[in-house]
Amino acid sequence: MALQDYLRDMEGCSRCSSCKWVPFNQVKSWRFAKNCPSVTRHNLHAFSGSGKMIMGLSMVSGRSELNDTVTEIIYRCQLCGACDTACKVYRDDIDLMDVLLALRAHCVEQGQLIPEHMLTIDALKREDNVFGEPKARRGDWAEGLDVKDAVGEKPQVLFHAGCRYSYDPDLRETVRGAVRLLRSAGVDLGIAGADEACCGGRAFELGYQGESENFADDMVSRVKATGASVLVTACSDCYAAFNYLYPRMGKELGVELYHITQYLEKLAGEGRLRLRQRVPKLVTWHDPCHLGRKSEPFTGEWKGDKLLRPVTMKRTGKKGVYDAPRNVLKSIPGIELVEMERIKGYAWCCGAGGGVLEAFPEFAAWTAAERIEEALATGAEALVTSCPWCLRIFRDAVEETGALLEVYDLTELALVSAGEGVLAGGAAR
Ligand code: SF4
Ligand code: SF4
């Protein structure tokens, strides 16, 4: 839908500023009471969810025009969705995230482009991944693992690595460990390797919605060609694209879909994954935005007055994947979980999303450092998550700030507990 289709949402904003805060009944301290990295960092209402809607309303009403300043404000936002979740506590007739997405699509339509994002889109068009790395090398991360070729050898489970796990050399052992872990539980899995491609979710968030739809169509054909009945992805961004964005676009993958945290929970429940080794650690869990609020299933498009929209069709950010990773963590002997102040639907973003890492790296790093401080305040030894983008930026932030905090992917701790790996140098081997 175009920006003008959200006129009622934008007009409906009561300027209450609740979108800047964790809902007040959830606040534990002043230090961690804010929820929006954009307005917290830039300290001007325009950067909040409400401020962006006011700019959208002004443009749609013909009172102002899109320019470089407005474009930059629109893109200095991780699209983390925290504003939408907070607004929905009070106003379930406003779809703030949809307005933020429509604003970006409007920028692209009007030719107001961010140079770094143009590079990402160019990389996607050339090599089917957001980094512009050679598509023929996408499966190199699995070298020597002797994993099935999903296209030729027809495994039951297709393991989708995603762009960052496929190409980030520092995260290679993490994703290799995830495959070893699944195989130790007897899962018949394969990867598409060089035949895997980007999910297209990043293109959608950057405002290139047509490009994103092409990637979705392509992904549907690629997944169908494998004949797999189950798709497991280790990437939260891909999971949100498959679980929310594709149904929103009317695309069907035709498989049972799991994020790896959900699949591990299922395997453990069935007794196939045995987490027996002690991993004595006090940890805290970071909810990735794409695994939490942004993966909440698509509930259909409501065409009438949003005040009359049935409850079942409201996306509130509360139905993301919050329990599965916590249940897996708690089932690892020796692990003690201590929660941060902002969790689940109200979690603070890692900083990497929405194209911020590419275009505004200093803002991304500041956002990550804020989360590291919140994790340290719990007294935890380690921050655990399950998203390659969060992992990347948190590990960089710890290195940058010198914080005494280990950063793990959940699969790394599970691998050690399953007796398939050891922790060394802040990662599982
Ligand atoms: S919480 Fe919702 S209604 Fe209130 S200012 Fe923010 S966007 Fe507007
Ligand atoms: S999506 Fe996140 S960063 Fe963007 S305005 Fe909303 S809360 Fe702020």
Side-chain angles (χ1 to χ4, degrees), residues 53-236:
M53 289 215 294
I54 292 168
M55 292 192 298
L57 179 61
S58 171
M59 290 189 285
V60 163
S61 316
R63 287 183 278 118
S64 65
E65 286 183 356
L66 190 59
N67 58 28
D68 290 350
T69 306
V70 173
T71 302
E72 183 165 337
I73 292 173
I74 289 169
Y75 282 96
R76 276 189 176 267
C77 156
Q78 280 88 354
L79 285 184
C80 68
C83 52
D84 186 273
T85 300
C87 178
K88 288 251 170 49
V89 170
Y90 313 95
R91 297 290 307 275
D92 59 10
D93 57 329
I94 294 175
D95 289 317
L96 185 37
M97 267 304 284
D98 286 346
V99 176
L100 299 181
L101 287 161
L103 277 165
R104 289 177 171 220
H106 183 66
C107 290
V108 171
E109 267 163 36
Q110 300 292 312
Q112 282 283 350
L113 308 177
I114 302 283
E116 291 82 357
H117 296 168
M118 290 162 71
L119 292 176
T120 303
I121 298 300
D122 182 54
L124 278 168
K125 285 183 183 163
R126 272 188 297 108
E127 300 290 352
D128 291 340
N129 67 78
V130 294
F131 304 112
E133 293 289 335
K135 59 176 119 181
R137 309 205 58 182
R138 191 169 177 118
D140 285 8
W141 63 269
E143 228 166 55
L145 276 182
D146 194 25
V147 63
K148 272 188 180 176
D149 167 10
V151 181
E153 297 176 78
K154 304 284 174 209
Q156 187 210 359
V157 174
L158 170 63
F159 180 83
H160 177 91
C163 294
R164 184 164 280 284
Y165 269 138
S166 296
Y167 291 108
D168 188 327
D170 294 339
L171 301 185
R172 188 164 278 202
E173 279 311 313
T174 305
V175 70
R176 287 169 65 85
V179 165
R180 280 164 47 215
L181 181 63
L182 293 178
R183 289 209 304 205
S184 77
V187 177
D188 172 29
L189 69 83
I191 63 166
D195 286 322
E196 188 184 288
C198 178
C199 64
R202 190 53 61 103
F204 191 82
E205 294 191 347
L206 298 183
Y208 296 78
Q209 298 191 350
E211 286 301 330
S212 175
E213 199 145 348
N214 293 341
F215 273 94
D217 283 331
D218 182 48
M219 182 62 70
V220 169
S221 329
R222 287 173 194 259
V223 170
K224 290 203 166 138
T226 67
S229 55
V230 175
L231 189 157
V232 176
T233 182
C235 177
S236 294

Side-chain angles (χ1 to χ4, degrees), residues 307-319:
L307 286 169
L308 303 174
R309 186 166 48 173
V311 172
T312 50
M313 289 186 71
K314 290 171 186 166
R315 288 181 81 243
T316 60
K318 292 186 185 145
K319 291 185 229 109

Side-chain angles (χ1 to χ4, degrees), residues 253-294:
L253 285 171
V255 285
E256 245 179 87
L257 174 67
Y258 295 90
H259 182 259
I260 193 157
T261 55
Q262 297 171 309
Y263 205 61
L264 294 182
E265 183 190 38
K266 176 180 152 70
L267 291 172
E270 290 168 356
R272 293 166 69 190
L273 178 67
R274 295 190 183 92
L275 302 174
R276 289 183 174 152
Q277 305 288 328
R278 276 181 65 75
V279 184
K281 267 199 195 298
L282 181 62
V283 306
T284 192
W285 170 254
H286 168 75
D287 293 287
C289 304
H290 282 91
L291 186 60
R293 347 173 233 263
K294 297 181 77 172

